[in-house]
Amino acid sequence: MLQKQSILIAGGGSTFTPEIVLLLLERQADLPLKELKLYDNDAKRQAIVGEACALLVKERAPEVMFSYTTDPKEAFSNIDFVMAHIRVGKYAMREQDEKIPLKHGVVGQETCGPGGIAYGMRSIGGVVELIKYMEQYSPNAWMLNYSNPAAIVAEATRRLCPTSKVINICDMPIGIEENFAAILGLPSRKELDIRYYGLNHFGWWTSIRDQEGKDLMPEIQEYTKKHGYLSPQLASDPHLDASWRETFEMVKDVATLDPTTLPNTYLKYYFYPDRVVAHSNPHHTRANEVMEGREKRVFDECQRLVAQGHAKDTHFEIGAHASYIIDLARAIAYNTKERMLLIVENRGNISNFTWDAMVEIPCLLGANGYEPLHVGAIPTFQKGLMEQQVAVEKLTVDAWIEGSYLKLWQAITMSKTVPSADVAKAILDDLITANKEYWPALK
Ligand code: NAD
């Protein structure tokens, strides 16, 4: 019998929470639950999502204790895992992250370029606060953090909470591996044995094999030349957002820079920033799409369920894409030694790359945390790109810790998406005004 776990979802007012709750309930054979709690610092959002989730739990697994709160002590006491997915500043600030750089002709994106740097400057304090609460109220718990921008947040946790039990993970490579499986006609990414290295949202697959060891890279590369990562299933999916379709298709071009590997989709922002800007609408960005679409849909559905007093006909679906978080918790809780891509300190695993960079590489996961797998030396092209990007991430964390305007200007100037120090300064000054409530004061 597996020991039951107590789980806290931090960022409990997220639009993804109801789907993740359904998934947790569905996967109780893998990760049985004793208690499930939600925590958010926005009482109104938390109450709407919390009341709807209470119905889901009551109807599907009444034996699981459920509660939601904005009180850190209540939330973080007696838990085994914190699943952290907060968005400091919410979508209103993401809109600024996207629109301010675009106003200056630069990529406006949630995690890449100046928008990602701005979001990082907001997220660091929020994530560190969650870690402090966890350590105060449940010192044996683990935090599984997938709050973005993961690269900057991971560097900040390395520096500010070096002994904390925090694991930083991202769903992007996992999502792409699902596309690989679909392209190959396999039922799941779990059939694939992969090697990958890079930084978060900035990496390359070097090997993809099946369980018998057969090399599957040539077949995916052939497909990618024509369709990018748009699998046949996605191509015929009427619900696929136009922006994601474009991102998957653009891999056709991104992959040509190194035909021996397969790239992370987000490298498009660094290789083709001019094209990305030309295709962006500076007045209506991804944040607007989410606020008008997903956010509205989810809150309407929560309110509908609460008003009718049951969730038997809910439109919420099991959030299968978040399965990796359960795999991660399960690996730690039951010492499964599952292999997963994590964002960890390099420490020589990429042998010719910065020792203390936070890199994304395969690790084995068990009860005592992770053991990274050795990557070896990487080529000049990738090494050069990664050195530049990791400097952006480190300078951003320096700027947050020191309150340094200069370091943040250097960080934005160094981003490959930004054409000059003048443009970087103009963007920075606008971002400072927009983020007054959230950033430390910069001198
Ligand atoms: P969202 O805005 O729907 O929800 C985030 C929640 O975090 C909000 O309810 C907000 O009030 C809360 N929050 C903000 N600051 C907080 C703080 N200091 N303490 C507690 N709660 C706080 O956002 P979302 O789209 O679900 O994304 C959440 C985060 O997870 C983002 O960083 C996103 O990039 C990342 N992420 C999410 C998924 C997913 O499947 N949910 C996948 C990958 C990455």
Side-chain angles (χ1 to χ4, degrees):
M1 261 275 275
L2 298 175
Q3 195 176 345
K4 290 188 173 187
Q5 305 294 318
S6 295
I7 292 182
L8 172 68
I9 301 181
S14 156
T15 58
F16 289 97
T17 299
E19 296 177 2
I20 294 174
V21 167
L22 285 178
L23 178 73
L24 281 161
L25 300 180
E26 172 78 9
R27 286 202 51 191
Q28 282 215 70
D30 297 324
L31 188 76
L33 300 175
K34 179 173 166 208
E35 181 165 13
L36 183 56
K37 297 195 257 188
L38 309 181
Y39 165 76
D40 204 285
N41 66 356
D42 179 329
K44 191 161 163 235
R45 281 178 78 99
Q46 187 54 95
I48 297 170
V49 174
E51 285 297 319
C53 290
L55 292 173
L56 297 174
V57 178
K58 190 173 90 186
E59 288 170 11
R60 291 165 199 235
E63 73 286 0
V64 175
M65 287 191 284
F66 175 82
S67 59
Y68 65 86
T69 181
T70 54
D71 176 39
K73 183 169 182 208
E74 207 179 307
F76 287 82
S77 296
N78 302 315
I79 45 159
D80 300 303
F81 292 101
V82 181
M83 297 180 172
H85 65 173
I86 61 169
R87 184 184 291 282
V88 179
K90 291 170 271 200
Y91 278 91
M93 287 308 297
R94 175 173 173 175
E95 184 181 10
Q96 299 299 315
D97 295 342
E98 292 168 343
K99 289 187 177 171
I100 290 172
L102 278 172
K103 191 180 105 188
H104 296 277
V106 168
V107 169
Q109 210 274 334
E110 179 188 20
T111 60
C112 304
I117 293 170
Y119 185 18
M121 290 288 286
R122 291 197 302 278
S123 291
I124 294 171
V127 172
V128 169
E129 181 180 73
L130 299 180
I131 295 169
K132 298 253 146 68
Y133 290 147
M134 177 180 84
E135 295 189 329
Q136 184 177 355
Y137 298 117
S138 285
N140 295 322
W142 285 89
M143 179 175 294
L144 316 179
N145 179 52
Y146 54 111
S147 310
N148 268 317
I152 292 170
V153 168
E155 170 65 10
T157 59
R158 185 188 75 79
R159 300 261 284 275
L160 299 166
C161 316
T163 57
S164 301
K165 291 164 80 174
V166 183
I167 296 187
N168 291 292
I169 189 163
C170 173
D171 68 340
M172 167 93 57
I174 292 162
I176 295 172
E177 286 166 21
E178 288 295 356
N179 291 13
F180 293 159
I183 289 166
L184 294 162
L186 296 171
S188 140
R189 70 179 175 89
K190 297 216 170 176
E191 308 277 320
L192 305 175
D193 188 2
I194 65 101
R195 296 293 291 193
Y196 177 98
Y197 72 85
L199 310 172
N200 180 241
H201 288 181
F202 202 101
W204 293 264
W205 281 266
T206 53
S207 165
I208 301 170
R209 293 179 182 274
D210 68 12
Q211 296 303 320
E212 280 73 49
K214 182 181 164 215
D215 185 3
L216 302 172
M217 285 278 273
E219 193 177 335
I220 304 175
Q221 282 163 326
E222 237 357 83
Y223 185 92
T224 302
K225 277 185 202 155
K226 294 194 205 86
H227 310 287
Y229 292 163
L230 193 70
S231 64
Q233 289 82 338
L234 284 173
S236 60
D237 179 353
H239 303 298
L240 181 69
D241 288 339
S243 51
W244 275 110
R245 180 176 292 268
E246 199 179 302
T247 293
F248 289 138
E249 281 180 337
M250 206 163 161
V251 174
K252 261 190 291 202
D253 297 327
V254 177
T256 55
L257 270 298
D258 178 6
T260 66
T261 59
L262 286 165
N264 190 298
T265 48
Y266 275 13
L267 286 162
K268 76 170 189 177
Y269 295 112
Y270 303 94
F271 294 171
Y272 301 106
D274 45 356
R275 259 204 246 172
V276 170
V277 171
H279 279 110
S280 303
N281 177 351
H283 308 295
H284 195 265
T285 58
R286 180 79 191 141
N288 299 113
E289 280 175 24
V290 178
M291 286 188 283
E292 292 155 11
R294 180 176 180 84
E295 205 163 44
K296 191 173 173 324
R297 254 194 338 269
V298 168
F299 283 102
D300 286 352
E301 174 65 354
C302 287
Q303 278 158 333
R304 184 184 74 85
L305 300 181
V306 174
Q308 70 179 16
H310 69 84
K312 296 198 173 73
D313 60 349
T314 184
H315 307 149
F316 288 130
E317 289 177 358
I318 294 168
H321 71 282
S323 273
Y324 68 100
I325 288 291
I326 294 179
D327 295 339
L328 181 53
R330 181 181 145 75
I332 296 170
Y334 314 123
N335 202 26
T336 65
K337 300 287 167 151
E338 181 156 348
R339 190 162 144 176
M340 300 184 82
L341 278 181
L342 300 181
I343 307 161
V344 297
E345 190 173 36
N346 183 29
R347 293 176 170 267
N349 286 300
I350 302 176
S351 53
N352 56 346
F353 192 61
T354 314
W355 178 267
D356 64 359
M358 291 303 275
V359 294
E360 195 164 44
I361 54 176
C363 299
L364 300 180
L365 267 145
N368 295 308
Y370 51 81
E371 298 169 52
L373 298 178
H374 191 69
V375 174
I378 59 173
T380 304
F381 177 62
Q382 276 85 359
K383 182 173 181 295
L385 288 162
M386 284 167 57
E387 292 285 9
Q388 181 175 6
Q389 179 60 19
V390 91
V392 171
E393 292 156 8
K394 283 184 177 295
L395 284 164
T396 304
V397 176
D398 287 345
W400 190 89
I401 293 171
E402 297 165 22
S404 166
Y405 180 97
L406 180 64
K407 294 274 175 76
L408 204 57
W409 184 27
Q410 290 175 344
I412 297 178
T413 302
M414 192 169 274
S415 173
K416 205 171 152 15
T417 61
V418 176
S420 78
D422 280 338
V423 175
K425 199 172 206 315
I427 294 174
L428 174 55
D429 290 341
D430 284 355
L431 287 174
I432 289 174
T433 308
N435 283 279
K436 258 204 303 280
E437 254 184 78
Y438 299 99
W439 286 7
L442 301 181
K443 286 197 290 284

